[in-house]
């Protein structure tokens, strides 16, 4: 899609484990849409010297290894320790949201955030607002099968991993647009093409209204 000088319109993209959010994002990218990848931004932020210095000051020299975050060490510090998790989030999250907001451009922005609903209020507190939220959805039974195949794990472990996150059905209730990804990748591609064609018309009307 060709961007323009219209104001920004922000569409949140989310899903759950093995529902196909990454496939949805890739298809939108193929179609020429502008994607802001929150995971990539978080990785870039966590490599900044000022962030590394703060982490070292808070968690000790062992927290940094070869000029990078020692994820194994920090993982042990954070696992099951809510206070330490809050500490690391206070260091990294403000800078992540700052970078996300700086990345927003005129026109349509698709913002890929895996844990969008889980972090919704936090993002809002930093000034992040969505015009719509799109969900890559599959029923849990399909999630389970796909996760078993993808990660080569048994059914019980797949269920445990899926249910450690917010329910996909709860996310479905909270989303503005549900994109059912129960079929093949080609089915999803055709579905997305139809959706964005219709949405382009709706967005044109949105911009007209905001200019009245």
């Amino acid at each position: 899609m060709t961007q323009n000088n219209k104001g920004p319109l922000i569409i949140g993209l989310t899903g759950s484990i093995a529902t196909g959010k990454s496939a949805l994002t890739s298809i939108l990218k193929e179609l020429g849409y502008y994607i802001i990848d929150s995971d990539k931004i978080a990785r870039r932020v966590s490599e900044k010297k000022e962030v590394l210095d703060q982490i070292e000051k808070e968690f000790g020299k062992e927290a940094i290894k070869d000029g990078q975050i020692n994820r194994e060490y920090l993982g042990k510090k954070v696992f099951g320790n809510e206070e330490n998790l809050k500490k690391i989030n206070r260091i990294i999250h403000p800078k992540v949201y700052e970078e996300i907001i700086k990345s927003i451009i005129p026109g349509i922005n698709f913002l890929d955030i895996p844990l969008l609903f889980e972090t919704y209020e936090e993002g809002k507190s930093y000034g992040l607002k969505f015009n719509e939220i799109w969900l890559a959805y599959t029923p849990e039974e399909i999630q389970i099968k796909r996760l078993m195949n993808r990660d080569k794990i048994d059914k019980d472990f797949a269920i445990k991993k899926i249910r450690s996150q917010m329910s996909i059905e709860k996310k479905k209730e909270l989303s503005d647009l549900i994109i059912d990804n129960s079929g093949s990748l080609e089915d999803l591609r055709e579905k997305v093409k139809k959706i964005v064609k219709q949405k382009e018309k709706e967005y044109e009307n949105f911009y007209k209204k905001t200019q009245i």
Side-chain angles (χ1 to χ4, degrees):
M1 175 199 166
T2 302
Q3 296 294 341
N4 48 51
N5 59 1
K6 296 169 179 173
L9 194 147
I10 303 169
I11 313 300
L13 299 176
T14 195
S16 287
I17 190 169
T19 65
K21 178 193 63 64
S22 295
L24 169 61
T25 302
S26 293
I27 290 166
L28 288 165
K29 196 177 288 185
E30 286 171 16
L31 294 172
Y33 288 90
Y34 177 64
I35 310 291
I36 301 171
D37 186 326
S38 64
D39 278 349
K40 285 184 179 177
I41 288 174
R43 284 195 292 273
R44 286 203 304 270
V45 163
S46 67
E47 292 169 355
K48 290 187 175 184
K49 186 179 184 304
E50 61 190 287
V51 171
L52 296 174
D53 288 346
Q54 287 181 55
I55 290 172
E56 184 176 329
K57 184 178 178 181
E58 191 67 57
F59 293 96
K61 289 184 178 180
E62 299 94 333
I64 307 301
K65 186 177 181 181
D66 300 326
Q68 295 182 324
I69 290 174
N70 185 342
R71 296 189 184 279
E72 183 180 355
Y73 175 83
L74 270 185
K76 290 176 183 176
K77 286 284 187 182
V78 167
F79 184 74
N81 189 317
E82 192 173 341
E83 186 54 40
N84 279 347
L85 179 61
K86 285 179 180 176
K87 284 179 183 178
I88 195 77
N89 286 345
R90 279 197 294 266
I91 294 169
I92 293 176
H93 285 192
K95 297 185 183 304
V96 170
Y97 285 111
E98 182 184 340
E99 289 299 319
I100 286 173
I101 290 167
K102 281 201 291 191
S103 299
I104 294 169
I105 64 173
I108 299 171
N109 297 256
F110 282 104
L111 177 47
D112 178 350
I113 302 185
L115 300 178
L116 188 153
F117 291 116
E118 293 87 337
T119 59
Y120 184 84
E121 290 302 322
E122 183 184 26
K124 193 175 172 183
S125 72
Y126 287 107
L128 183 60
K129 296 178 182 178
F130 299 95
N131 296 92
E132 285 188 5
I133 296 172
W134 293 12
L135 177 73
Y137 170 84
T138 64
E140 189 181 81
E141 59 267 25
I142 294 178
Q143 267 186 285
I144 293 167
K145 288 177 184 175
R146 288 181 177 172
L147 188 58
M148 288 171 66
N149 290 332
R150 190 190 79 185
D151 291 0
K152 310 300 180 194
I153 56 177
D154 63 30
K155 186 174 182 178
D156 287 344
F157 191 31
I159 290 170
K160 186 177 180 181
K161 287 183 78 171
I162 287 166
R163 293 184 181 171
S164 70
Q165 297 186 340
M166 182 188 289
S167 159
I168 190 66
E169 298 303 325
K170 177 64 176 174
K171 291 184 179 185
K172 188 177 180 182
E173 291 173 13
L174 296 170
S175 299
D176 298 297
L177 179 68
I178 316 301
I179 301 177
D180 194 311
N181 184 30
S182 302
S184 67
L185 182 61
E186 194 49 47
D187 289 337
L188 178 64
R189 184 174 282 106
E190 290 306 310
K191 200 171 288 185
V192 171
K193 283 180 181 178
K194 288 177 183 176
I195 289 168
V196 293
K197 187 175 181 181
Q198 176 59 37
K199 285 292 177 180
E200 286 280 6
K201 294 176 184 176
E202 291 179 20
Y203 298 152
E204 284 299 321
N205 290 332
F206 167 84
Y207 284 124
K208 285 176 184 175
K209 286 178 184 177
T210 59
Q211 290 170 3
I212 291 173

